[in-house]
Amino acid sequence: MKIELASSYGFCFGVKRAIKIAEGSSDSATYGELIHNADEISRLKDNFNVKTLTTMSELKDENNIIIRTHGITKNDLKSLQDSGKKIIDATCPFVTKPQNIVEKMSSEGYDIVIFGDKNHPEIKGVMSYSKRAVFVVLSSDELKGVKISKKVALISQTTKKIEDYQKIAAYLMSRCNEVRVFNTICNATLENQEAARELANRADVMIIIGGKNSSNTKQLYLICKQYCFDSYHVENETELKKEWFVGKKLCGISAGASTPDWIIQNVVDEIEKFEVKD
Amino acid sequence: MKIELASSYGFCFGVKRAIKIAEGSSDSATYGELIHNADEISRLKDNFNVKTLTTMSELKDENNIIIRTHGITKNDLKSLQDSGKKIIDATCPFVTKPQNIVEKMSSEGYDIVIFGDKNHPEIKGVMSYSKRAVFVVLSSDELKGVKISKKVALISQTTKKIEDYQKIAAYLMSRCNEVRVFNTICNATLENQEAARELANRADVMIIIGGKNSSNTKQLYLICKQYCFDSYHVENETELKKEWFVGKKLCGISAGASTPDWIIQNVVDEIEKFEVKD
């Protein structure tokens, strides 16, 4: 069996930048998980004493606070700033952008529609910048019957699929006088998705590596599953099963934006150890 | 055979308004056809001496100029105003709106994409208000390979199908950072389209009445044809053929926004004269 990596996969600009910031900020704490990868977070804790804390009260004894790549809410940021702590901002610039758009558009009288998961930290942060009604939806069905302004600004979570985003825009176009669509899906996401789609179309088994709480990894998995029935989402090599590879000719590999190369290498090594014949 | 009219059809607000203006402006001339209906234009000529002239030079001896429902270009309007003629503006307010949007958005640095027919007078008028690049297209295919700004304002001809408009918006979303979509398709168009679709879905022959140069009538015909194979576009009763109705149970009727009731009545009367049995 041949193993092939997608032509684009893994770490994006924002994640690389955040890890570099964290590695340069020993003895600090991140507010929430810096990136959605448990193994990489453990490595930062072990090697640089970068702790992951999840509540404001836990943070009270910390002096150096790293803001996670997904960003945090405007209020939380203000509380941290007001408490006099040193803020080390690792928010991905591609997340800062939708935060700014939401703030500006809501000031200009647009209702805000966000295509995303309202429980995802990125979206909690982005929506907190709105000064008026915000509707966070995963499909246009959720907008049916909802009273919405005739002027709407539409923003997407950075890691979503463009096809789903287009459907929501189409629906809003039919209901509103003006829909101001911002393409806030990040390029790394689009490139990884495109490459995964191309490879899944040829592969007979696909392994997608990334945190189970990683939005972009879940999207990669869903795309691969459309093109290759035997697609599996794993966090690391311990979840692999030999039987997935039996009788397969081409094993494709893709990985989410928060998956470090060393985990991808471990997965490839483990698959090679299975010594599966075509 | 039963004859049924669509629940919404024929004259829209802008056409009614333009005819009222023309009837109140005897001994005047319109620059281009007031509306896209030759029979109604003849009636206005015969009863109110409202002439239809098509070039600026023909207009030079006229004092009272009516601006057609579709509007004219900014330059032509200025020439007429500068020549001291009395301008009677019958431009549909739903056409004035996209003219204003194009002027404002192009001033704010947006490239302009118009979904429409570049030879249609409405579009010639609307595009003339742009201060920068304008791309007039009938489908997203025409935008492939075209160098376009990252900020685009998208406008539709008032009489187009929303489904086609949505496809163009979807394509631009994937290429631009911001697509500001204005739904400039007029409500009368949407309502007539919806009603025609509903009726064509039940009818076994559909007659769509309107000028052969009428954009909205052509759209109605295309929609009906999707749902009812035996759909026919006629300008008036003289084009009807008895064999279209033989063996049919339900004849549906729709008409474009510039089709007067008296023509629709003539068509219905003629079909009834065929005395077709189910």
Side-chain angles (χ1 to χ4, degrees):
Chain A
M1 183 182 70
K2 197 184 153 201
I3 299 175
E4 183 175 332
L5 277 93
S7 61
S8 174
Y9 64 90
F11 270 12
C12 62
F13 164 78
V15 167
K16 275 185 208 156
R17 178 175 168 273
I19 290 173
K20 208 168 169 186
I21 289 172
E23 287 177 347
S25 313
S26 300
D27 306 314
S28 60
T30 68
Y31 180 28
E33 294 170 320
L34 180 71
I35 60 170
H36 275 143
N37 193 285
D39 295 311
E40 184 67 10
I41 286 173
S42 296
R43 191 187 69 85
L44 290 170
K45 173 76 177 67
D46 297 345
N47 298 2
F48 300 92
N49 192 33
V50 173
K51 296 177 280 291
T52 298
L53 304 176
T54 52
T55 62
M56 289 294 265
S57 61
E58 284 178 281
L59 290 173
K60 70 178 188 305
D61 300 328
E62 301 291 334
N63 292 318
N64 302 321
I65 311 294
I66 303 176
I67 308 300
R68 63 192 300 170
T69 49
H70 317 95
I72 60 175
T73 67
K74 195 177 176 179
N75 279 347
D76 282 349
L77 183 61
K78 191 164 183 311
S79 298
L80 290 172
Q81 282 166 336
D82 289 350
S83 67
K85 295 183 190 302
K86 184 181 170 199
I87 306 292
I88 303 152
D89 192 0
T91 308
C92 172
F94 296 118
V95 174
T96 310
K97 199 176 130 196
Q99 288 174 348
N100 294 341
I101 292 171
V102 163
E103 188 157 40
K104 184 161 187 286
M105 288 300 105
S106 60
S107 308
E108 291 183 17
Y110 290 83
D111 271 2
I112 305 293
V113 175
I114 301 175
F115 169 41
D117 176 354
K118 61 175 177 285
N119 297 314
H120 192 285
E122 176 187 321
I123 297 307
K124 284 182 186 169
V126 169
M127 65 190 288
S128 74
Y129 282 80
S130 181
K131 294 173 175 166
R132 49 187 287 136
V134 186
F135 304 94
V136 181
V137 298
L138 286 168
S139 83
S140 58
D141 290 344
E142 295 175 50
L143 288 167
K144 282 180 186 150
V146 170
K147 205 178 160 202
I148 202 162
S149 156
K150 287 284 170 198
K151 271 174 69 178
V152 166
L154 181 60
I155 294 101
S156 175
Q157 191 168 343
T158 53
T159 48
K160 288 289 180 193
K161 270 172 67 187
I162 183 103
E163 293 82 357
D164 298 335
Y165 193 35
Q166 287 164 329
K167 283 181 198 157
I168 293 170
Y171 176 75
L172 284 170
M173 276 174 70
S174 71
R175 273 192 56 183
C176 304
N177 292 341
E178 182 186 348
V179 186
R180 210 161 159 172
V181 185
F182 294 88
N183 188 348
T184 49
I185 300 178
C186 82
N187 270 343
T189 296
L190 290 171
E191 282 164 17
N192 285 1
Q193 287 179 358
E194 188 118 335
R197 186 180 288 113
E198 187 279 324
L199 180 53
N201 203 19
R202 294 184 288 117
D204 42 14
V205 56
M206 278 294 301
I207 304 298
I208 301 94
I209 314 161
K212 292 284 160 69
N213 51 359
S214 155
S215 167
N216 80 84
T217 310
K218 282 188 268 186
Q219 300 300 326
L220 285 176
Y221 167 72
L222 291 173
I223 288 170
C224 291
K225 188 79 183 161
Q226 277 187 296
Y227 294 88
C228 173
F229 183 77
D230 291 317
S231 292
Y232 303 95
H233 175 182
V234 300
E235 292 208 331
N236 55 46
E237 71 280 10
T238 65
E239 296 175 46
L240 296 168
K241 291 187 177 149
K242 188 176 175 175
E243 65 256 33
W244 294 346
F245 307 95
V246 174
K248 306 297 187 193
K249 287 191 189 331
L250 177 61
C251 169
I253 307 266
S254 179
S258 43
T259 310
D261 280 344
W262 61 270
I263 295 182
I264 300 168
Q265 194 53 55
N266 287 352
V267 168
V268 171
D269 291 347
E270 188 69 17
I271 296 172
E272 279 173 346
K273 274 192 215 143
F274 291 147
E275 289 189 343
V276 173
K277 302 271 178 261
D278 288 0
Chain B
M1 184 184 70
K2 198 184 152 199
I3 299 174
E4 183 176 331
L5 277 93
S7 62
S8 175
Y9 65 89
F11 270 11
C12 62
F13 163 78
V15 167
K16 274 186 208 157
R17 177 175 167 275
I19 290 172
K20 209 167 167 186
I21 289 171
E23 287 176 346
S25 313
S26 300
D27 306 314
S28 59
T30 68
Y31 180 27
E33 294 172 321
L34 180 70
I35 59 170
H36 275 143
N37 192 286
D39 295 311
E40 183 67 10
I41 286 173
S42 296
R43 191 187 68 86
L44 290 170
K45 172 78 176 68
D46 297 345
N47 298 1
F48 300 92
N49 192 31
V50 173
K51 297 177 280 292
T52 298
L53 304 176
T54 52
T55 62
M56 289 294 266
S57 61
E58 284 178 283
L59 290 172
K60 70 179 190 302
D61 300 328
E62 300 291 331
N63 292 317
N64 302 322
I65 311 293
I66 303 176
I67 309 298
R68 62 194 299 172
T69 50
H70 317 97
I72 58 175
T73 67
K74 196 178 176 179
N75 278 347
D76 282 348
L77 183 62
K78 190 162 182 312
S79 298
L80 291 172
Q81 282 165 336
D82 289 350
S83 67
K85 295 185 190 298
K86 185 181 169 197
I87 305 291
I88 304 153
D89 193 359
T91 308
C92 172
F94 297 118
V95 174
T96 310
K97 200 176 129 197
Q99 288 174 347
N100 294 339
I101 291 171
V102 164
E103 188 156 41
K104 186 163 186 286
M105 287 302 103
S106 60
S107 308
E108 292 183 16
Y110 291 83
D111 270 3
I112 305 294
V113 175
I114 301 175
F115 169 41
D117 175 354
K118 60 177 178 287
N119 297 314
H120 191 284
E122 177 187 320
I123 297 306
K124 285 183 184 168
V126 169
M127 65 191 287
S128 74
Y129 281 80
S130 181
K131 293 172 177 168
R132 48 186 287 135
V134 186
F135 305 93
V136 181
V137 298
L138 286 168
S139 82
S140 58
D141 289 344
E142 294 175 49
L143 289 167
K144 281 176 189 153
V146 170
K147 204 178 161 202
I148 201 162
S149 157
K150 287 286 171 194
K151 271 173 68 178
V152 165
L154 180 60
I155 294 100
S156 174
Q157 192 169 344
T158 54
T159 48
K160 286 290 179 191
K161 268 172 70 188
I162 182 103
E163 293 82 357
D164 298 334
Y165 194 34
Q166 287 164 330
K167 283 180 200 159
I168 293 170
Y171 175 76
L172 285 171
M173 275 174 71
S174 71
R175 274 192 53 182
C176 305
N177 293 340
E178 183 186 347
V179 186
R180 208 160 162 175
V181 185
F182 294 88
N183 188 346
T184 49
I185 301 178
C186 82
N187 270 343
T189 297
L190 290 172
E191 281 165 19
N192 284 1
Q193 287 179 358
E194 186 119 338
R197 188 179 287 112
E198 187 277 327
L199 180 54
N201 203 19
R202 294 184 287 116
D204 43 14
V205 54
M206 277 296 299
I207 303 299
I208 301 93
I209 314 160
K212 291 284 161 70
N213 52 357
S214 156
S215 167
N216 80 85
T217 309
K218 282 187 268 187
Q219 299 300 327
L220 285 176
Y221 166 73
L222 291 172
I223 289 170
C224 290
K225 188 79 182 163
Q226 276 186 296
Y227 294 89
C228 173
F229 183 79
D230 292 316
S231 292
Y232 303 95
H233 176 182
V234 300
E235 292 208 331
N236 56 45
E237 71 280 9
T238 64
E239 297 175 45
L240 296 167
K241 290 187 177 150
K242 188 176 175 175
E243 64 256 33
W244 295 346
F245 306 95
V246 174
K248 307 296 187 193
K249 287 190 187 332
L250 177 61
C251 168
I253 308 265
S254 179
S258 43
T259 311
D261 281 343
W262 61 269
I263 295 183
I264 301 168
Q265 194 54 54
N266 286 353
V267 168
V268 171
D269 290 348
E270 189 70 16
I271 296 172
E272 279 173 347
K273 274 191 216 145
F274 291 146
E275 290 188 343
V276 173
K277 301 273 177 260
D278 290 356

